[in-house]
Amino acid sequence: MTSVAHVEGVWRAGRAAKVLLLGGLCLVLQQIPVSYRIDFFGQVADASLVHLHAGLLLAIAMLERDRRVVAGCFLATFAGWMVRQLYFDGGRPGAVLAWGGANYLFTLGWSLACARWLGWPRPEGQRVQRPDLIRFAAIGLLLYPLVLALVGFSIALVSTSGAAVSTVFQMFFAKQFGVAVVTLPVVVAWRERGHPAPRSEAAWHWLWLVALGAGLVASVWASLLVRKTFMSATSSQLVLMDYRFALLLVLGWSMLRLPSHGAMAALSLTLLLLVGLVAGTAEYANTAVGFFNLLHVTLELNILLLAMLYLWLTHRDRQELAERLSAETLRDQITGLPNLKALRERIARPLARTELGYLLLDQTDSLVAGFGLDIQAQAMNATARRLEDLVQAYYVGTGQFALLPRQAGDPDLWERVVARVEHAEIDVGGQPIRLLPYLGVAAFNGTHARVVDRAVVTASHLAFEARHHGELRPRYHDAGHRRVRQSQRRQLHDATEALASLRNERVVLYFQPIRELEHAPDADPHALTGEVLCRLLDERGEIMSPARFMAPLEAAGRGAELDLAVVRALFRLLRKSPAALPHCREIAINLTGQSLASMSFQVELRTLLAGSPLPMSALCFEVTETAAISNTAAASHLLTDLRALGCRIAIDDFGTGMQSFARLRELPVDVIKIDGSFVRNVAQLGKDYAVVQASVAVAKAFGAATVAEFVEDEDTEYCLRRLGVQRVQGYLYGAPRPLAEVLADTAAEATASGG
């Protein structure tokens, strides 16, 4: 590896250093012959069956973008040939020397042209691909040596025709074998530097080689023995083709197991060995049988070269594809963040702390529905980046992360994680938002996948429990966690049962009246003003309270489905009681935060409203202050559209988000319902009194009516009247009753009184 790095360093150095190194290599290869004796038309000469330097020169022309470096290498090679020619000519320059100079000059131009037709040189980092083998076979292995050989026939101008035929023969096979042995293996090996080698079991390499070597030796010994026994003694020489299948196995193993430079070196050396073993065949090329036998051997060598390179390239591409697919399985496809599989692999390595956190970001479902997956992915990536110096974040699902600590000695780590997320503003579509974090922490012991999964499940239960209680401090695993898990299982069961109730229209509506504190003299005594409350029936026909199904449905992202089911059920009941319709003054319907961000909900709601049995002015839609503020843009769009239709808009649970009055100002508001937690103790004239007083002032500034919830005694009513609250709702005026009964009673009373 050190030598490879040294060569690469020289390659990146100046032009002179490149010429010195590469030209020197060409001179060295020029001195490595595969000798044989040739006899054409009485012209007997010693020759070499392979010109290794020719293969290297073509490789240089393919790889090097600086043409002056290429020319310098050809010049150095010509200088080596010229010195040797002068030695044979007794130091006297002759016509052959001039012919050689012209021939090398043509070879330079022809090599550059062939390199360009082969698609080289290419940008750094671009590698050899399987389609390149077709062009290389046609141009590099056939056209390139054939043209050089035909040009070599021009030696007839300075020599005899027999010498010209001999030269053509020598040059074709020598150049062809030189290209086969050197060019493409060098190009592949050079372009693969810096890329990881295909994974292999290096410990077994030498056993494989020993076994294959022993098999080859046994094959050679058996072949020679058979030839001596059954054939004449003169025919007992080694015949290469008897072992091509064994060589195929050796090379195939090398291509699949060795690193790229090792595999290409093995391929070149094997081909050079094969060329050496067929040198004896070349001596009989002056006969038709000998010549075609040599062509046959050349064809097989070329097929062997291309087959091995195709095998190697296929193995490389398949290995890289498998590694790429494996890497993709370690990341979430939407956010690109590491996933649970990556977490399992990470835990197999040493950790700073055997502790795992589970981070749950609230209201991310609304974020996805309102802005799309791309914005959600940006928000998740922004959260992970904000925590990257404290923990390693692994994406579990929408708004959920598994966290591994980066440092061991940080007792306040998990508190810092929560604080950093809680105080961070994330830019979403040009609008800053904050995502509330809930964190569960669990310890684990071991690296097995089941241990990791158990820790993730434990920490996730703690995080969801923290969200359920609105607790923004980390929750740690303790002995009471079994109760948490049982609670989570119960919530999952409730969510499943609630969804089944929605799908089967087992929706029961209740109604709680809202009263005016100051009665108008001409008011309709039978007027219905109040809030529709939803209940679901389970499979046994028993009523499920909102505490059982609201949180699980919202956690499952089915809030919008619940709201649509309520509107459908309300309109069905109203159509069944036409006599009560004229007395329906204001019917309030609750909307969840998920409905505000859902475009499909808005489309479906408009369709339902088009067939409403009540005028739009008799409908009031209530949204909680927290949901309205968290989804200001989406809420403003939907509520503005509803208001334009004639519906009224109420902000429910007002006071729980008083820090967000600035955003609330952007919403269309007709009614503000003061949260019951403040109303219940308002008569004590403490902090709750001040909150209600401030809420009334805000409502007046907004031009909105006020409704106080949870009014249960006359002292509270008196205090609210003094504060200027206009409407009240609570058990003092009536408990929730089935809406069907309320409509029936209203219709009956109106009929009895002649209204």
Side-chain angles (χ1 to χ4, degrees):
M1 294 301 293
T2 303
S3 60
V4 173
H6 175 69
V7 171
E8 184 172 353
V10 175
W11 184 269
R12 297 184 183 276
R15 182 181 301 137
K18 290 182 180 180
V19 172
L20 183 63
L21 173 66
L22 299 177
L25 287 175
C26 290
L27 288 175
V28 170
L29 293 181
Q30 199 176 36
Q31 311 309 315
I32 302 177
V34 174
S35 301
Y36 70 103
R37 195 166 185 81
I38 190 170
D39 182 359
F40 273 99
F41 305 105
Q43 296 283 337
V44 179
D46 293 324
S48 174
L49 193 56
V50 60
H51 287 173
L52 298 175
H53 59 282
L56 182 57
L57 286 171
L58 180 58
I60 295 171
M62 293 173 65
L63 294 171
E64 178 55 52
R65 306 186 73 86
D66 189 344
R67 294 315 190 196
R68 283 175 287 188
V69 172
V70 180
C73 294
F74 271 85
L75 181 61
T77 309
F78 170 68
W81 177 84
M82 183 175 62
V83 169
R84 189 171 60 179
Q85 189 63 34
L86 287 173
Y87 173 77
F88 289 130
D89 291 343
R92 295 186 303 275
V96 174
L97 197 63
W99 172 85
N103 188 65
Y104 264 94
L105 185 61
F106 174 83
T107 304
L108 169 61
W110 180 238
S111 299
L112 292 175
C114 288
R116 185 169 62 254
W117 294 337
L118 288 168
W120 296 82
R122 296 177 179 175
E124 189 64 29
Q126 192 168 344
R127 306 154 78 186
V128 177
Q129 304 297 331
R130 280 174 286 179
D132 292 327
L133 297 180
I134 299 175
R135 282 193 291 180
F136 185 79
I139 298 174
L141 294 177
L142 179 60
L143 186 62
Y144 179 75
L146 182 60
V147 170
L148 290 181
L150 294 176
V151 170
F153 193 80
S154 62
I155 199 174
L157 299 174
V158 296
S159 184
T160 64
S161 59
V165 174
S166 177
T167 299
V168 170
F169 172 84
Q170 292 180 53
M171 289 188 67
F172 175 76
F173 287 102
K175 304 297 183 187
Q176 208 282 331
F177 286 139
V179 171
V181 171
V182 176
T183 304
L184 202 52
V186 166
V187 171
V188 171
W190 184 254
R191 280 307 173 101
E192 290 298 318
R193 72 194 192 285
H195 293 277
R199 289 176 294 179
S200 59
E201 299 175 2
W204 296 94
H205 285 174
W206 64 275
L207 292 177
W208 242 95
L209 290 175
V210 169
L212 288 172
L216 280 175
V217 170
S219 298
V220 171
W221 175 79
S223 178
L224 292 176
L225 182 63
V226 169
R227 288 179 177 276
K228 284 185 177 181
T229 303
F230 298 101
M231 304 178 70
S232 64
T234 58
S235 63
S236 62
Q237 66 185 54
L238 182 64
V239 178
L240 173 69
M241 291 301 111
D242 291 346
Y243 314 104
R244 59 186 179 274
F245 296 112
L247 286 171
L248 188 66
L249 289 175
V250 174
L251 279 179
W253 175 86
S254 301
M255 297 299 106
L256 298 177
R257 289 293 183 178
L258 296 181
S260 56
H261 57 276
M264 294 304 108
L267 179 59
S268 287
L269 292 175
T270 302
L271 292 174
L272 182 60
L273 173 64
L274 296 179
V275 172
L277 291 177
V278 300
T281 304
E283 296 183 359
Y284 305 101
N286 58 343
T287 66
V289 174
F291 179 76
F292 283 106
N293 180 64
L294 186 57
L295 282 178
H296 174 260
V297 171
T298 304
L299 179 61
E300 288 210 6
L301 288 181
N302 290 333
I303 291 175
L304 179 63
L305 167 68
L306 296 174
M308 291 300 104
L309 285 174
Y310 185 84
L311 175 65
W312 186 87
L313 292 170
T314 301
H315 176 63
R316 180 202 68 184
D317 294 345
R318 184 174 62 248
Q319 192 77 24
E320 290 181 350
L321 177 60
E323 291 176 357
R324 186 164 60 253
L325 292 176
S326 177
E328 289 178 358
T329 63
L330 299 178
R331 293 193 172 272
D332 176 70
Q333 297 301 305
I334 297 175
T335 63
L337 294 170
N339 56 19
L340 278 179
K341 183 179 178 182
L343 172 66
R344 296 188 186 101
E345 292 194 1
R346 174 63 187 89
I347 287 182
R349 304 192 300 273
L351 298 171
R353 295 162 63 166
T354 55
E355 213 172 35
L356 181 145
Y358 194 95
L359 178 65
L360 172 63
L361 301 178
D362 203 15
Q363 298 178 352
T364 48
D365 289 336
S366 300
L367 181 67
V368 176
F371 297 95
L373 286 176
D374 55 339
I375 299 298
Q376 179 252 346
Q378 292 178 23
M380 297 303 100
N381 277 281
T383 302
R385 285 194 302 271
R386 188 165 182 82
L387 299 175
E388 62 185 356
D389 62 320
L390 300 177
V391 294
Q392 302 172 53
Y394 298 87
Y395 193 68
V396 179
T398 303
Q400 300 174 49
F401 297 87
L403 308 176
L404 286 180
R406 289 191 180 274
Q407 300 177 357
D410 189 353
D412 300 325
L413 170 69
W414 300 116
E415 284 77 6
R416 291 169 60 198
V417 166
V418 171
R420 188 171 291 187
V421 177
E422 182 184 4
H423 298 131
E425 279 198 348
I426 300 174
D427 186 11
V428 176
Q431 177 183 343
I433 67 166
R434 290 187 178 183
L435 299 174
L436 295 179
Y438 302 99
L439 183 67
V441 181
F444 59 91
N445 184 18
T447 60
H448 195 276
R450 284 179 296 180
V451 174
V452 179
D453 292 344
R454 194 178 304 119
V456 171
V457 170
T458 300
S460 69
H461 287 158
L462 293 168
F464 279 98
E465 185 73 9
R467 185 177 74 170
H468 179 70
H469 293 283
E471 185 178 339
L472 295 182
R473 291 179 57 83
R475 282 206 164 203
Y476 297 90
H477 176 58
D478 55 20
H481 181 61
R482 180 175 299 177
R483 178 182 58 81
V484 175
R485 295 182 65 181
Q486 291 174 349
S487 174
Q488 295 293 337
R489 292 195 189 100
R490 186 172 62 253
Q491 286 189 15
L492 179 61
H493 175 267
D494 289 344
T496 304
E497 196 164 27
L499 282 173
S501 298
L502 286 180
R503 305 285 167 73
N504 292 282
E505 298 185 347
R506 295 197 298 265
V507 178
V508 178
L509 299 185
Y510 277 63
F511 182 84
Q512 187 173 29
I514 297 175
R515 298 283 186 250
E516 297 280 347
L517 279 178
E518 300 295 337
H519 295 285
D522 57 346
D524 180 1
H526 308 296
L528 281 181
T529 299
E531 180 181 358
V532 172
L533 305 173
C534 177
R535 304 290 186 267
L536 298 179
L537 296 178
D538 60 19
E539 293 181 350
R540 299 179 299 276
E542 297 177 357
I543 291 180
M544 298 174 62
S545 67
R548 281 186 59 191
F549 64 79
M550 282 300 300
L553 280 178
E554 290 188 347
R558 302 295 183 179
E561 190 173 338
L562 173 65
D563 291 345
L564 291 172
V566 169
V567 174
R568 293 190 190 98
L570 172 62
F571 288 178
R572 281 198 301 270
L573 285 176
L574 291 172
R575 292 189 186 99
K576 291 179 181 178
S577 303
L581 296 182
H583 305 286
C584 292
R585 177 184 172 189
E586 186 175 303
I587 307 298
I589 307 166
N590 287 285
L591 297 181
T592 61
Q594 292 174 355
S595 297
L596 298 179
S598 172
M599 292 302 298
S600 61
F601 170 82
Q602 296 183 31
V603 173
E604 184 67 21
L605 179 61
R606 288 191 183 93
T607 303
L608 291 174
L609 292 178
S612 171
L614 290 177
M616 294 295 101
S617 58
L619 296 177
C620 178
F621 289 95
E622 295 186 5
V623 295
T624 63
E625 181 186 4
T626 303
I629 293 170
S630 301
N631 305 274
T632 305
S636 179
H637 178 72
L638 173 61
L639 300 181
T640 300
D641 285 355
L642 291 176
R643 204 181 195 194
L645 292 174
C647 303
R648 294 168 62 81
I649 305 300
I651 300 297
D652 199 8
D653 298 338
F654 189 79
T656 57
M658 293 180 69
Q659 74 280 7
S660 303
F661 282 170
R663 293 186 187 174
L664 196 61
R665 185 175 53 191
E666 303 171 14
L667 300 172
V669 179
D670 298 299
V671 179
I672 285 180
K673 300 187 71 173
I674 304 171
D675 188 67
S677 62
F678 302 114
V679 174
R680 185 179 288 114
N681 299 315
V682 70
Q684 298 179 13
L685 305 181
K687 295 180 179 179
D688 291 339
Y689 182 91
V691 171
V692 174
Q693 188 177 38
S695 300
V696 172
V698 170
K700 289 181 179 178
F702 276 56
T706 50
V707 177
E709 301 177 305
F710 291 7
V711 181
E712 298 178 357
D713 55 63
E714 293 181 354
D715 290 341
T716 301
E717 180 190 272
Y718 174 76
C719 187
L720 293 171
R721 191 188 304 273
R722 192 172 59 181
L723 285 171
V725 174
Q726 296 163 299
R727 300 181 187 179
V728 285
Q729 177 182 358
Y731 278 80
L732 181 62
Y733 313 102
R737 294 173 55 205
L739 179 59
E741 294 181 8
V742 173
L743 293 173
D745 290 348
T746 299
E749 292 172 2
T751 302
S753 62

